[in-house]
Amino acid sequence: MNYTLHQLEVFLKVAQLQSVTKASEALYLTQPAVSIQLKKFQEQFKIPLFELVGRRIYITEFGEEVVVAGQKIMDEVKAIDYKALSYQGELAGKLKIAIVSTAKYVMPFIISDFINENRGVDLIMDVTNKASVIKALENNEIDFAMVSTIPNKLKINRIELMRNELYMVGGKQYKHKGKNLSKSEFQKLPLIYREQGSATRLAMEKFIDSKKISTYKKMELTSNEALKQAVISGLGFSIMPLIGIKNAITIGDLQIIPVKGLPIVTNWNLIWLSSKNMSAISKALIDYVKNNKEALIAKHFDWMEKYE
């Protein structure tokens, strides 16, 4: 056998994505380059690693065995890289973070400089719903989480980052007269909700219940982006975090509808288990965020002040 680590890496990515095109995009290579490396890797074996049916690649049983063994090899290679950087006095290893979907508009700006300054740190960031984020934190599967609602059942430490403001929004088609939407007007609007368990859903329901408003529920969607597009298209109205709809408001696709008692204000928090055995990377990130959060917020989110 005379295959290279690069050929193995290409095969693993193709096996994962079942597509040369997607693998080339993920590896920042041209499709011909991926195909050549894949062919050279296959030539090292007499048994087929994959089958091509139409445009889709199917990994054979033998290929799956190679995937398992190959992933172990690549993990060991990565471990060597981490150790080499550690001996040079640099931070090295994996940093695992889970964030709720709306936090994707915040978290990258908070940690981008930290990741860029520490080339030995590999970031794994899972963008999912609140329930999955809390479960991953509880099971100690991640180092940090970013949420707007603190879980009550877990003992956690946190760094409070910035305000999270939720407003009533509608598409540009909606015409409203007067300052604040009346209760009777509110009750006539078809509302679009996030899925059960979403922090945005919980905040919206809590506000509606507190005002004793009987609502007309139009639909339920599982992502903030899908919800935004539905409101823009005129399918209904919703209470949404400002952080995710700034551009749509700026260009006029969405409008904030004034309602007494809004915006709902919570805070974004970087949290971790109090009992967590923190790695050097985690400790460094905590120090970085504590020391730089005001500057980062001022740099990237000063536009929010005009809505306060």
Side-chain angles (χ1 to χ4, degrees):
M1 297 294 173
N2 194 30
Y3 54 82
T4 66
L5 288 174
H6 180 56
Q7 290 167 2
L8 177 58
E9 180 186 26
V10 167
F11 170 68
L12 292 176
K13 187 58 68 174
V14 170
Q16 176 192 354
L17 300 175
Q18 295 185 309
S19 166
V20 169
T21 301
K22 292 179 180 179
S24 67
E25 293 171 353
L27 294 169
Y28 300 100
L29 297 171
T30 64
Q31 290 185 40
V34 169
S35 296
I36 290 170
Q37 295 304 314
L38 188 62
K39 180 181 179 182
K40 288 182 177 179
F41 187 69
Q42 174 63 81
E43 289 173 351
Q44 304 296 313
F45 306 92
K46 294 181 180 180
I47 305 172
L49 296 167
F50 56 88
E51 298 173 346
L52 188 61
V53 180
R55 293 187 177 182
R56 187 171 180 180
I57 290 177
Y58 293 86
I59 306 303
T60 64
E61 184 177 354
F62 173 65
E64 293 289 356
E65 295 287 344
V66 175
V67 168
V68 173
Q71 191 58 60
K72 291 179 181 178
I73 292 171
M74 297 305 296
D75 289 344
E76 289 298 322
V77 170
K78 200 67 178 178
I80 293 172
D81 292 340
Y82 290 152
K83 288 178 182 178
L85 289 169
S86 295
Y87 272 93
Q88 296 171 33
E90 298 185 35
L91 290 174
K94 292 181 179 180
L95 180 65
K96 297 180 180 180
I97 302 175
I99 63 175
V100 294
S101 60
T102 312
K104 68 178 178 284
Y105 302 108
V106 179
M107 195 63 183
F109 295 102
I110 299 296
I111 63 171
S112 61
D113 288 345
F114 176 82
I115 297 299
N116 290 332
E117 291 167 6
N118 296 281
R119 62 192 181 94
V121 176
D122 290 335
L123 174 64
I124 301 171
M125 188 158 66
D126 184 23
V127 182
T128 183
N129 57 45
K130 179 189 172 187
S132 296
V133 168
I134 300 306
K135 183 178 180 181
L137 188 68
E138 186 176 12
N139 293 340
N140 199 30
E141 297 170 355
I142 55 176
D143 300 304
F144 297 97
M146 188 174 185
V147 295
S148 60
T149 305
I150 302 297
N152 295 322
K153 296 181 180 180
L154 298 179
K155 292 183 178 180
I156 58 101
N157 293 328
R158 67 168 176 150
I159 301 174
E160 187 176 294
L161 295 173
M162 56 182 283
R163 288 161 62 95
N164 179 38
E165 302 175 359
L166 292 86
Y167 290 84
M168 182 75 170
V169 292
K172 60 185 177 182
Q173 310 91 339
Y174 180 68
K175 306 298 181 184
H176 171 67
K177 297 180 181 179
K179 290 186 176 181
N180 287 321
L181 197 69
S182 68
K183 182 176 179 179
S184 61
E185 289 174 318
F186 196 124
Q187 292 179 156
K188 294 177 183 177
L189 298 181
L191 296 184
I192 306 175
Y193 285 74
R194 280 290 303 275
E195 78 281 7
Q196 287 285 353
S198 161
T200 299
R201 167 73 171 259
L202 292 173
M204 182 172 172
E205 289 182 332
K206 185 177 180 180
F207 172 77
I208 290 171
D209 289 343
S210 70
K211 300 299 181 181
K212 296 181 172 55
I213 297 172
S214 176
T215 60
Y216 164 31
K217 181 180 175 183
K218 182 72 173 179
M219 65 177 68
E220 181 177 301
L221 296 170
T222 57
S223 78
N224 198 68
E225 194 62 29
L227 180 58
K228 180 175 71 176
Q229 295 303 323
V231 176
I232 288 174
S233 71
L235 282 173
F237 301 77
S238 192
I239 296 177
M240 301 186 67
L242 178 64
I243 194 72
I245 57 176
K246 172 200 171 187
N247 291 339
I249 291 174
T250 301
I251 64 177
D253 284 342
L254 284 180
Q255 60 174 311
I256 292 177
I257 301 172
V259 176
K260 186 176 181 180
L262 294 181
I264 302 166
V265 179
T266 59
N267 285 284
W268 289 114
N269 299 274
L270 183 68
I271 66 173
W272 62 95
L273 290 176
S274 300
S275 58
K276 180 77 174 177
N277 184 15
M278 307 299 285
S279 67
I281 296 173
S282 295
K283 291 176 182 177
L285 179 62
I286 291 170
D287 290 340
Y288 171 81
V289 174
K290 284 181 176 179
N291 293 331
N292 295 279
K293 69 173 186 176
E294 284 84 5
L296 291 168
I297 292 168
K299 179 181 178 181
H300 298 292
F301 304 104
D302 61 334
W303 57 269
M304 294 183 67
E305 293 179 1
K306 72 177 183 179
Y307 293 96
E308 295 179 5

